[in-house]
Amino acid sequence: MTVNDDSFTNWKNREEIAESMIPIIGKLHRERDVTVLLHSRSLVNKSVVSILKTHRFARQIAGEELSVTETLPFLKALTELDLGPSQIDIGMLAATYKADDRGLTVEAFTAEAVAGATGANKIEHGEGRDVVLYGFGRIGRLVARLLIEKSGSGNGLRLRAIVVRGGGDQDIVKRASLLRRDSIHGQFQGTITVDEANSTINANGNAIKVIYANDPSEVDYTAYGIKNAILIDNTGKWRDREGLSGHLRPGIDKVVLTAPGKGDVPNIVHGVNHDTLKPDEQILSCASCTTNAIVPPLKAMEDEFGVQRGHVETVHSFTNDQNLLDNYHKSERRGRSAPLNMVITETGAASAVAKALPDLKARITGSSIRVPVPDVSIAILNLQLKRETNREEVLDYLRDVSLTSPLRRQIDFITAPDAVSSDFIGSRHASIVDAGALKVEGDNAILYLWYDNEFGYSCQVIRVVQHVSGVEYPTYPAPAV
């Protein structure tokens, strides 16, 4: 047998193992509300090749590829446990087991590592929480996709309705089509049907009522059986407490804004300050995509090295508020053609840092350039630290943060020397550290942070909504603090 034959046989064996993992992962998700992760990446509803690629990606951050032969025993061990709703990272299980020297069996080690999600400790299934989307643009449709994807056992978040202004003939058909196909993020994973007579979109079994209204005051959500719901405002039309309070209608309990909030509206970056929210807070903001991209790594650098001052320059994809061709715009430069120009503009992300990280005393400034790409941006974070360091120390630290810290869902890490922006379309992390671009000299560090300003941000929005709704399930093994 040749080397090529050996390689092909090995691949086919791994394909077979990955194939055997799919029904186990699916059953855990549907019946027990358990999401199986691999280094913070969900394996739910993934194909054989996708599972193998996710295992291989581990080499980018952990230094070596993770094999399905290593993780399958932990997955099988989970099926023997009395698990409650949770997120379980089999990549972390395999890594921590390898470092454990007590000689435990895989079964015993797994039972110990996820004990908080089993038996008397487990979270009981709730009734789920209704969610309403107000607006159905770029972020609204991606949030809808995520809500539908995460409907799982039906005990978590349930997308019940979408509120939009009427758009003429076949409005609901056109909106369903935009949900079904996306030029950047591809096809919707599942089936979508439209019931025009009842103004309903059915996506993967989720019946979503489309409500037409020109103003929040026109809607009584209880008339549609919606109660105690979380409303996600994707329009950005109202940003202060007074304006957003208009959404607090019968049936709506909380309002989440997908734009920076003004005044005393809390700006929340999941992973950094979500635990500061008061249980009775009814109005909150998920800040901006750029704020979500820079605040987690900024917090990580402050925790380890201290930050004296910093500047963030964002090279940002163009957005819907710019013009396709030169035309009037209330902003001076955004009226110029977005797909034909680099456009200098402002960013509020630097000033928003103070809301998310009030203990950070360093002054952070910022500016932005819009460029002719439709999605994925990069933030260049230039920091003066409180102590000297070197490139290797910073890289090792940020790699570890992306693997084992409480920020591992926010911060990703990549070593690929040829990475470009389109590689990060669909990333579920708030930002991705580009290891090859990192610059460190004495007390100065320059971080290059990629982020999918549409999908990665939408994932952060969902995490905040899960937190405030009480269906944010714990992750095991627990991240290092």
Side-chain angles (χ1 to χ4, degrees):
M1 184 176 284
T2 66
V3 172
N4 284 341
D5 288 336
D6 283 341
S7 178
F8 185 69
T9 299
N10 177 263
W11 171 258
K12 300 304 288 184
N13 288 339
R14 286 188 292 151
E15 271 191 325
E16 185 177 358
I17 293 171
E19 195 171 62
S20 72
M21 298 171 83
I22 292 174
I24 301 174
I25 294 167
K27 190 172 183 179
L28 284 169
H29 187 58
R30 286 190 308 276
E31 296 183 1
R32 307 193 199 179
D33 227 357
V34 172
T35 300
V36 177
L37 310 172
L38 188 90
H39 288 315
S40 298
R41 290 166 169 78
S42 173
L43 297 182
V44 176
N45 292 328
K46 295 297 187 289
S47 67
V48 167
V49 172
S50 181
I51 289 173
L52 291 173
K53 285 179 69 175
T54 305
H55 277 74
R56 181 158 174 72
F57 185 81
R59 78 190 191 285
Q60 295 272 7
I61 39 183
E64 58 183 357
E65 186 173 343
L66 186 62
S67 172
V68 286
T69 59
E70 295 177 76
T71 57
L72 180 61
F74 295 96
L75 188 58
K76 287 182 174 178
L78 292 176
T79 65
E80 302 301 318
L81 299 173
D82 180 24
L83 286 168
S86 56
Q87 299 186 105
I88 298 179
D89 195 319
I90 57 175
M92 282 297 296
L93 279 173
T96 51
Y97 179 71
K98 189 180 292 186
D100 191 88
D101 59 1
R102 292 176 294 166
L104 298 175
T105 64
V106 166
E107 293 74 15
F109 182 84
T110 302
E112 179 183 274
V114 303
T118 61
N121 296 322
K122 70 181 182 182
I123 298 171
E124 292 302 324
H125 292 285
E127 294 183 356
R129 190 71 176 269
D130 290 350
V131 178
V132 173
L133 294 179
Y134 198 97
F136 205 47
R138 297 298 303 156
I139 299 303
R141 292 193 296 274
L142 291 177
V143 168
R145 285 188 174 199
L146 287 164
L147 288 167
I148 295 162
E149 172 195 299
K150 294 179 181 297
S151 56
S153 64
N155 297 310
L157 300 175
R158 303 176 302 194
L159 177 55
R160 296 292 308 280
I162 297 162
V163 184
V164 292
R165 288 177 294 186
D169 292 344
Q170 289 197 306
D171 180 276
I172 190 171
V173 173
K174 293 173 182 177
R175 293 185 190 278
S177 184
L178 285 168
L179 179 62
R180 186 181 291 114
R181 287 179 287 271
D182 190 280
S183 301
I184 296 170
H185 301 283
Q187 297 276 346
F188 173 79
Q189 296 301 303
T191 62
I192 293 175
T193 58
V194 176
D195 181 349
E196 287 189 83
N198 292 301
S199 192
T200 301
I201 296 173
N202 193 300
N204 290 359
N206 294 267
I208 307 161
K209 187 74 174 179
V210 178
I211 302 169
Y212 293 99
N214 293 315
D215 186 84
S217 63
E218 298 178 9
V219 188
D220 177 2
Y221 296 97
T222 60
Y224 305 97
I226 296 168
K227 58 182 181 179
N228 196 35
I230 296 173
L231 183 143
I232 304 174
D233 184 327
N234 307 287
T235 68
K237 184 177 180 180
W238 305 277
R239 294 195 178 188
D240 59 14
R241 187 173 294 276
E242 181 182 2
L244 292 168
S245 293
H247 288 303
L248 294 173
R249 306 281 299 156
I252 302 300
D253 179 57
K254 293 181 185 293
V255 179
V256 176
L257 171 66
T258 62
K262 295 182 178 180
D264 67 342
V265 174
N267 280 248
I268 302 302
V269 175
H270 191 275
V272 175
N273 68 336
H274 66 277
D275 56 356
T276 64
L277 273 171
K278 298 176 181 178
D280 60 351
E281 179 61 76
Q282 288 188 287
I283 295 174
L284 60 136
S285 155
C286 289
S288 70
C289 56
T290 300
T291 303
N292 276 265
I294 65 173
V295 166
L298 185 57
K299 181 183 188 306
M301 294 298 287
E302 164 70 6
D303 288 347
E304 179 65 21
F305 303 101
V307 175
Q308 294 271 32
R309 64 178 62 89
H311 177 80
V312 60
E313 187 79 37
T314 70
V315 182
H316 199 290
S317 60
F318 62 78
T319 60
N320 264 338
D321 79 320
Q322 293 174 257
N323 289 334
L324 189 62
L325 293 171
D326 289 1
N327 210 337
Y328 174 80
H329 194 290
K330 62 181 181 180
S331 296
E332 291 182 348
R333 302 191 204 226
R334 291 194 190 193
R336 303 298 300 277
S337 173
L340 296 178
N341 294 289
M342 293 189 291
V343 179
I344 297 174
T345 186
E346 70 284 344
T347 176
S351 58
V353 167
K355 280 195 169 185
L357 281 175
D359 292 336
L360 180 72
K361 304 306 178 188
R363 182 170 182 265
I364 307 295
T365 57
S367 52
S368 180
I369 303 172
R370 296 287 178 94
V371 294
V373 294
D375 187 30
V376 180
S377 305
I378 190 167
I380 305 165
L381 190 57
N382 192 332
L383 303 175
Q384 182 183 348
L385 307 176
K386 290 183 179 178
R387 69 174 175 88
E388 292 195 352
T389 181
N390 56 62
R391 189 170 185 274
E392 290 71 26
E393 183 185 11
V394 175
L395 278 178
D396 288 345
Y397 171 66
L398 291 175
R399 181 188 290 109
D400 187 59
V401 166
S402 75
L403 281 171
T404 63
S405 82
L407 291 170
R408 63 185 181 182
R409 297 171 71 193
Q410 282 70 43
I411 300 176
D412 204 2
F413 187 92
I414 190 167
T415 59
D418 58 348
V420 293
S421 62
S422 62
D423 296 331
F424 305 102
I425 293 174
S427 169
R428 295 180 180 237
H429 288 79
S431 62
I432 305 100
V433 176
D434 191 315
L438 177 73
K439 305 285 190 297
V440 180
E441 185 174 343
D443 64 355
N444 178 244
I446 305 174
L447 279 61
Y448 289 74
L449 307 165
W450 297 101
Y451 58 109
D452 184 330
N453 47 277
E454 292 188 335
F455 197 72
Y457 175 69
S458 296
C459 290
Q460 282 287 89
V461 171
I462 290 294
R463 291 172 189 134
V464 170
V465 174
Q466 287 177 319
H467 176 71
V468 299
S469 68
V471 297
E472 182 181 31
Y473 302 139
T475 302
Y476 299 95
V481 178

